[in-house]
Structures are given as structure tokens and as C-alpha cells.
Amino acid sequence: GPDQPVIGITWADASAYAAWAGKKLPTEAQWEFAARGQDNRKYPWGNTDPDANRANYGDHLNIPSLISMHDDGCTPEGICDLAGNVYEWTGDLFLPYDPVKRASAERHGPPLRAIRGGSWRSPASELRCSFRMGLFGESQLNTVGFRCVLPVKRG
């Protein structure tokens, strides 16, 4: 519906839409900073464990929820649905943080794209700000959507 996240969209389609709108997909670092904030929260809303008032997860509703449905799960800065509801495409490839493993991953197989945030089907552990996962960019799943950010202007 109009008040639910867009789902079933590939990484390329999400990226193209963002560019059309004069925006971009967030980097993993941007996404995680928005979720953690300056106080380094465990979850976007703070350090309290997830519950049905804060996020749509664990197949509680069996579908993506309305965007404004879980206001208790918004960040103190007012960003909602960073945990649960739908995973979000980022602009980054999904590569290990370890430099040796990263180099190996870059040489083997098609690249995966990083998604963040957990979804309506995720266990509570996937709602943590630090949780990340890789997915083929061609994937079109009802658990994956996207959000756009304005490009950062330097200098």
C-alpha cells in the first residue's frame, strides 16, 4: 500500500530510483551511523531489546507494516523503521571487514550487495545496528526495500 515500504525491487532499480530523485542509496557507514547515533546504540531506539511496539520482526504480522506503525522504534533523531519491517539496500558491496578475507572475496564469485536493518521475518538478533548481510543485487524479495539519502557535498 501507499504507506508501506516498496519491496521486491532489485539493487539496480533502487539505485536508479535514488539517482532519478537526485539522491542515492546510503553507504553502510551512513546507514549504521543513522541507526546507532552518536551515543552508539545497540538498536536504533536505544539499548532495550526489541518488542512488537518497536519493530515489525519475527513474522508477528506476516507482512511489511505501515511505515508509521512502530513509532517507539524510531531513533531519537526521528528516523523510523531502521530495524525490522524490510531490509534496506545500501550502496556498498558486501565485503568482509578483515582485509585478508576482503581481498579473497573480491577475487571470487559475483559480488553481493550489503543490506541492513532486518525485516518482518527476521529474528531479534538481526535488528541490531551492527547486523549486516549480503544479497545478490538481482534479488527481488518481499523482505527487502530501500531508502534514499541526499548525497554528501564536500568542500
Side-chain angles (χ1 to χ4, degrees):
D3 294 328
Q4 290 177 294
V6 172
I7 56 174
I9 188 167
T10 66
W11 179 88
D13 289 340
S15 185
Y17 175 86
W20 172 84
K23 300 177 182 181
K24 65 181 199 122
L25 297 178
T27 65
E28 279 197 271
Q30 288 172 323
W31 188 98
E32 190 165 333
F33 183 76
R36 282 186 184 278
Q38 292 183 343
D39 52 341
N40 199 27
R41 299 179 291 265
K42 182 177 179 180
Y43 301 101
W45 55 83
N47 295 321
T48 305
D49 288 339
D51 62 39
N53 292 320
R54 295 186 194 325
N56 180 13
Y57 70 101
D59 276 328
H60 290 256
L61 299 175
N62 297 313
I63 59 170
S65 62
L66 299 176
I67 293 169
S68 62
M69 189 171 171
H70 296 92
D71 287 343
D72 289 349
C74 294
T75 68
E77 298 81 16
I79 306 169
C80 297
D81 281 340
L82 282 171
N85 216 18
V86 296
Y87 290 105
E88 296 177 6
W89 290 114
T90 70
D92 293 333
L93 294 174
F94 179 71
L95 295 169
Y97 291 140
D98 178 278
V100 173
K101 291 178 182 175
R102 183 182 189 102
S104 175
E106 289 174 330
R107 288 190 304 269
H108 296 85
L112 299 176
R113 290 287 176 178
I115 57 174
R116 301 297 294 258
S119 79
W120 56 273
R121 298 196 70 184
S122 294
S125 61
E126 292 182 8
L127 304 186
R128 296 173 68 113
C129 295
S130 60
F131 184 81
R132 59 194 295 263
M133 194 163 70
L135 191 63
F136 290 110
E138 299 80 20
S139 301
Q140 293 179 283
L141 305 174
N142 66 0
T143 54
V144 180
F146 69 103
R147 79 175 62 222
C148 301
V149 298
L150 291 171
V152 176
K153 298 194 182 199
R154 304 211 192 281

